[in-house]
Amino acid sequence: MKVLVINAGSSSLKYQLLDTTSGEVMAKGLCERIGIDGVLTHTGNKSDEKFKFDIAMPTHKEAIQSVINVLLDPEKGVISSMSEIDAVGHRVVHGGEFFSDSVIITEKVLKAIEDCVPLAPLHNPPNLIGIEACREVMGDVPMVAVFDTAFHQTMPQSHYMYAIPYEYYQKYKIRRYGFHGTSHKYVSQQAAEMLGRPLEDLKLITCHLGNGSSICAINGGKSYDTSMGFTPLDGLPMGTRAGNLDPAIIEFLSEHENLSAAQVINILNKKSGMLGISGVSSDFRDLDTAIDDGNARAALAKDMFNLSVKKIIGSYIAEMGGVDAIIFTAGVGENDRSVRWDVCEHMEYLGIKIDPEKNKYRGKQMDISIDYARVRVLVIPTNEELMIAKDTERLVNEAKQ
Ligand code: ADP
């Protein structure tokens, strides 16, 4: 099946056309500056050449139309008719408590995504605009919404509640939702394949470590706990996010720096984490360069990150009563060997031990544990677009039956 995967932001729109049988990316690209002027960057699989066009994109509708036009282009495109696109998979950030799986988009589904806007005011509205624009341009092509939160809906209530008055959960649905669900789900399926064991029999801890980072305990294929919470600010310190902290700091900073709560939260989202501690950068590669130059605060930032990952892994092993494999994925997890090494150091007593030689590889699917380790440590490059395409294919096929 040929699935067009769409990830719509407020002024940008990423796309990939995937063949779900081969997993091949037929074409991909990005529309930027929507509502300002409009730039389309496109790569087809006929050559690796990247094309860049200035195209007026007053709204997402023109953006989608230009994606379709370039896909149909005899030279730069990869299809000869729009009917070759069997379905569209839309990434949607928040599905609240409505969605525990991806879903075929209907009017009712759109209303529920709309109802989740208060939970993700920056993300759900552009996701909805992307869906509407696609429906206008592509008509009856089946469309599926794939939520970042859906995979985590299996968490037991004791894992997702915050210990604040229960009425706030009832009134506002304040609880842990978790994000990066598509990535955690994808790498857990890949891990089961690598290990040659059914996912239902496995206890896994998946570490999605990128600019945004989260960890997930996956028990028998189901999300059992995860580090991101009501918003992506919870959990690990990240590129620019603080991760979890004593909430009393928010009032203290507000009072002493004369800031509103929203301004403090903005600092915790955009100026904290690796950037805030190091004062150098949010990018782990820049931190490594600074550490090589003897920058103590860059080293402190990375130490704090690694310690947080280790603490969460430890708590998830305790929660699940063991672990069969720990998976590292996303930009940092796939590439940064020092993070993997430091996180897994001194965990031999739990059966975890990395092979330093195997750990040298980057960005490649492999088992990096020493041969006799009881717990396998795996590096698995994530592929959220392929997961979205596969979910879309599954639902569209189910609907046909
Ligand atoms: P996101 O999708 O959350 O924006 P990514 O998963 O692309 O983020 O991860 C981005 C992070 O991965 C950056 O901090 C970057 O420094 C880090 N990264 C990418 N390549 C490497 C590498 N070779 N070594 C260390 N870190 C890397």
Side-chain angles (χ1 to χ4, degrees):
M1 187 178 273
K2 288 188 183 107
V3 178
L4 180 63
V5 173
I6 299 285
N7 184 353
S10 55
S11 67
S12 71
L13 185 147
K14 283 190 212 147
Y15 65 92
Q16 274 195 15
L17 184 65
L18 283 123
D19 182 330
T20 51
T21 315
S22 61
E24 177 201 12
V25 179
M26 301 173 66
K28 63 179 178 183
L30 170 68
C31 300
E32 289 171 287
R33 300 178 60 85
I34 301 170
I36 306 165
D37 35 34
V39 182
L40 172 68
T41 318
H42 172 85
T43 320
N45 69 349
K46 284 185 192 153
S47 73
D48 276 343
E49 201 180 340
K50 219 177 205 184
F51 301 99
K52 201 165 182 178
F53 316 91
D54 292 323
I55 303 173
M57 297 175 189
T59 71
H60 285 67
K61 188 178 165 192
E62 291 79 15
I64 294 278
Q65 187 61 63
S66 36
V67 171
I68 300 294
N69 291 347
V70 77
L71 289 173
L72 287 168
D73 186 281
E75 275 170 38
K76 301 164 191 93
V78 289
I79 51 172
S80 48
S81 147
M82 195 160 81
S83 63
E84 285 183 47
I85 302 174
D86 298 296
V88 182
H90 291 273
R91 177 193 179 217
V92 179
V93 168
H94 220 303
E97 289 190 332
F98 296 111
F99 301 106
S100 55
D101 193 1
S102 306
V103 65
I104 298 260
I105 296 173
T106 60
E107 293 309 319
K108 213 172 134 199
V109 167
L110 288 175
K111 166 78 175 58
I113 298 174
E114 179 88 52
D115 288 345
C116 293
V117 165
L119 299 172
L122 298 180
H123 292 104
N124 272 28
N127 295 159
L128 275 168
I129 291 170
I131 295 171
E132 293 292 1
C134 245
R135 279 163 45 117
E136 276 182 56
V137 173
M138 300 184 71
D140 287 342
V141 180
M143 300 203 188
V144 168
V146 180
F147 302 92
D148 275 19
T149 52
F151 181 60
H152 302 297
Q153 281 296 302
T154 48
M155 282 188 286
Q157 193 176 18
S158 55
H159 295 198
Y160 69 67
M161 291 297 288
Y162 290 109
I164 56 176
Y166 196 83
E167 70 199 68
Y168 298 134
Y169 167 63
Q170 291 169 310
K171 234 171 148 176
Y172 305 114
K173 293 283 170 228
I174 295 176
R175 51 159 284 177
R176 178 182 305 284
Y177 288 98
F179 299 87
H180 292 142
T182 311
S183 175
H184 290 296
K185 182 173 163 183
Y186 175 77
V187 297
S188 67
Q189 291 180 353
Q190 292 295 113
E193 231 170 78
M194 273 177 86
L195 298 170
R197 291 176 60 189
L199 190 51
E200 296 69 32
D201 293 350
L202 292 169
K203 292 179 175 30
L204 302 174
I205 297 175
T206 50
C207 306
H208 178 110
L209 312 178
N211 190 34
S213 297
S214 71
I215 304 188
C216 186
I218 303 177
N219 201 350
K222 292 187 174 148
S223 174
Y224 193 60
D225 208 343
T226 193
S227 60
M228 280 182 170
F230 179 60
T231 74
L233 185 50
D234 203 355
L236 300 164
M238 311 178 204
T240 62
R241 294 191 189 115
N244 68 354
L245 43 70
D246 183 341
I249 294 168
I250 297 171
E251 193 203 6
F252 185 96
L253 274 179
S254 159
E255 210 177 298
H256 288 78
E257 292 277 314
N258 197 22
L259 298 167
S260 67
Q263 286 170 316
V264 177
I265 294 293
N266 193 46
I267 291 170
L268 298 180
N269 264 311
K270 303 224 170 103
K271 296 189 176 160
S272 300
M274 300 301 99
L275 174 66
I277 292 292
S278 69
V280 173
S281 171
S282 61
D283 192 300
F284 279 65
R285 285 165 293 199
D286 297 340
L287 294 183
D288 285 340
T289 310
I291 292 168
D292 288 344
D293 292 343
N295 186 313
R297 271 173 49 192
L300 173 64
K302 246 183 127 174
D303 284 347
M304 289 170 67
F305 179 81
N306 296 338
L307 178 65
S308 297
V309 176
K310 189 193 272 286
K311 275 174 151 175
I312 292 178
I313 289 176
S315 66
Y316 289 173
I317 293 174
E319 278 181 41
M320 291 196 289
V323 64
D324 295 298
I326 295 170
I327 294 107
F328 286 97
T329 193
V332 175
E334 290 164 28
N335 293 297
D336 195 322
R337 70 176 86 135
S338 77
V339 166
R340 297 192 298 246
W341 183 261
D342 287 357
V343 165
C344 294
E345 215 183 4
H346 308 308
M347 298 222 268
E348 290 90 343
Y349 72 102
L350 290 168
I352 299 164
K353 176 90 182 139
I354 284 184
D355 181 329
E357 282 306 310
K358 293 181 189 159
N359 189 38
K360 282 185 183 155
Y361 288 92
R362 291 205 286 115
K364 195 176 144 198
Q365 179 162 312
M366 67 184 289
D367 183 333
I368 58 168
S369 20
I370 53 165
D371 292 341
Y372 61 80
R374 204 169 61 246
V375 175
R376 309 317 297 170
V377 179
L378 312 175
V379 175
I380 302 181
T382 194
N383 193 341
E384 291 164 275
E385 289 80 11
L386 181 59
M387 189 76 247
I388 293 174
K390 292 225 168 200
D391 262 13
T392 303
E393 178 184 44
R394 170 173 58 89
L395 286 157
V396 169
N397 283 340
E398 273 171 25
K400 278 187 199 152
Q401 284 164 7

